[in-house]
Amino acid sequence: MIEGVTLHHFLVISGIMFFLGMYGFLNRKNMITMLMSLELMLNAVNINFASINAYMHTDLLQGHFFALFIIGVAAAEAALAIAIIVLLYRKFNSINIEKSNTMKF
Amino acid sequence: METIFFYILALVIIVFSTLTVSTNNILRAAVYLLFVLGATSGLYFMMNFNFLAAVQLTVYAGGIVVLIIFSILLTHQINTILESSDLKKRIISGAISIISGSVFIWALFTYNFKISDKNIDDTSVKTIGTQLMSYVENGYVLPFEVISVLLLACMIAAIIIAKKFSHD
């Protein structure tokens, strides 16, 4: 419990952040900016887990550990995605999502 | 005092998230993302999750943003201005986000959250380490092992994907 700051404050912030990330993910064409929007969304989910842990389940640390694991998954995903992006750039000389359509059926 | 601090962090998060998804300069978008991640770790410090805040600063702000900036430098000219997407796509994605966001906010304010009246007291690194390595009740050794294997597989895959083969 923090003085003057309720659970809803945290959840509203994380919600705004998540849906801004969703807007960016749907709107952008460049793969790196899409990856940034994805990081925003994962980060918003982390705030959600941590705040619900801090306000509702104070005897356990479940949300805290889940946020830690999500950070690990996000790091792995970013490394792999950037490897794929660099490879696509070598092949197509562009990282526009609409130009990489070799496997498109 | 803490309320003022929270509102400053919230303002930073909202303004820089908006700039991250709307700016046309890709390097600036990465720097704005860095500010958002830093402000998020400030929120974790407010919730008394000091270890999580430190991990957030080192892994996200120190690792992932640097990785993204490196990949920008590898694939772009620094001063490239992104073309903005057409109006139809922008309206559709904005409408989808706003509608689902309003559903989220509505669900948030109608659900009855059971707020505990206690504080989280023990978030020291010793407790976190003990629980992470324990396999009895409240132990998290299985997800820890799974994520270790995932990270190893991911590193090997990243090397193999990005490696230049001699025959092509």
Side-chain angles (χ1 to χ4, degrees):
Chain A
M1 297 277 278
I2 306 163
E3 294 292 318
V5 185
T6 61
L7 175 62
H8 284 85
H9 284 83
F10 283 106
L11 294 186
V12 166
I13 287 295
S14 84
I16 291 172
M17 204 166 149
F18 184 89
F19 289 105
L20 277 171
M22 191 169 142
Y23 168 74
F25 190 78
L26 294 172
N27 188 31
R28 295 283 204 181
K29 284 180 190 158
N30 186 298
M31 281 185 210
I32 295 179
T33 46
M34 285 174 79
L35 185 68
M36 285 182 207
S37 309
L38 208 65
E39 299 295 339
L40 272 185
M41 286 160 81
L42 283 169
N43 219 44
V45 172
N46 268 350
I47 296 178
N48 235 329
F49 270 117
S51 61
I52 283 182
N53 189 179
Y55 278 87
M56 290 172 70
H57 302 282
T58 46
D59 47 341
L60 293 170
L61 282 176
Q62 284 174 329
H64 174 270
F65 281 113
F66 223 95
L68 275 181
F69 293 134
I70 291 175
I71 288 178
V73 172
E77 165 251 317
L80 205 52
I82 283 171
I84 292 172
I85 288 171
V86 170
L87 189 77
L88 281 174
Y89 183 72
R90 253 191 235 144
K91 199 166 169 59
F92 297 106
N93 221 7
S94 153
I95 53 170
N96 192 322
I97 194 84
E98 282 158 3
K99 289 205 177 115
S100 56
N101 50 8
T102 306
M103 286 178 75
K104 198 173 177 183
F105 180 64
Chain B
M1 181 64 209
E2 273 166 329
T3 320
I4 300 168
F5 199 62
F6 175 82
Y7 279 115
I8 291 172
L9 288 176
L11 193 71
V12 168
I13 285 180
I14 291 174
V15 168
F16 284 108
S17 310
T18 317
L19 286 172
T20 307
V21 295
S22 65
T23 183
N24 276 338
N25 189 323
I26 185 165
L27 201 62
R28 279 194 192 159
V31 176
Y32 295 146
L33 183 68
L34 179 64
F35 285 122
V36 176
L37 300 175
T40 311
S41 94
L43 288 186
Y44 294 151
F45 275 121
M46 284 185 72
M47 286 183 250
N48 207 11
F49 287 145
N50 295 322
F51 181 70
L52 185 59
V55 169
Q56 167 89 10
L57 274 182
T58 49
V59 174
Y60 263 118
I64 291 180
V65 171
V66 171
L67 209 60
I68 287 176
I69 288 177
F70 263 108
S71 71
I72 291 169
L73 299 183
L74 280 176
T75 55
H76 271 252
Q77 302 293 326
I78 301 175
N79 295 320
T80 316
I81 303 297
L82 300 170
E83 76 227 76
S84 43
S85 51
D86 48 353
L87 195 65
K88 191 185 161 202
K89 193 175 175 186
R90 216 183 288 181
I91 287 174
I92 290 174
S93 43
I96 292 174
S97 321
I98 287 174
I99 289 169
S100 37
S102 351
V103 172
F104 176 81
I105 300 281
W106 172 77
L108 200 65
F109 282 101
T110 47
Y111 185 73
N112 183 23
F113 290 100
K114 290 190 186 65
I115 306 290
S116 160
D117 48 356
K118 283 184 294 183
N119 273 351
I120 270 199
D121 40 20
D122 197 5
T123 56
S124 64
V125 181
K126 189 183 171 199
T127 318
I128 292 167
T130 316
Q131 286 201 23
L132 206 56
M133 283 289 116
S134 106
Y135 48 85
V136 288
E137 208 177 339
N138 294 331
Y140 296 90
V141 74
L142 179 66
F144 184 79
E145 285 300 320
V146 169
I147 207 154
S148 319
V149 175
L150 173 77
L151 272 173
L152 177 68
C154 169
M155 291 304 145
I156 295 170
I159 292 170
I160 289 177
I161 286 172
K163 195 175 154 194
K164 215 174 211 168
F165 290 104
S166 53
H167 55 77
D168 55 37

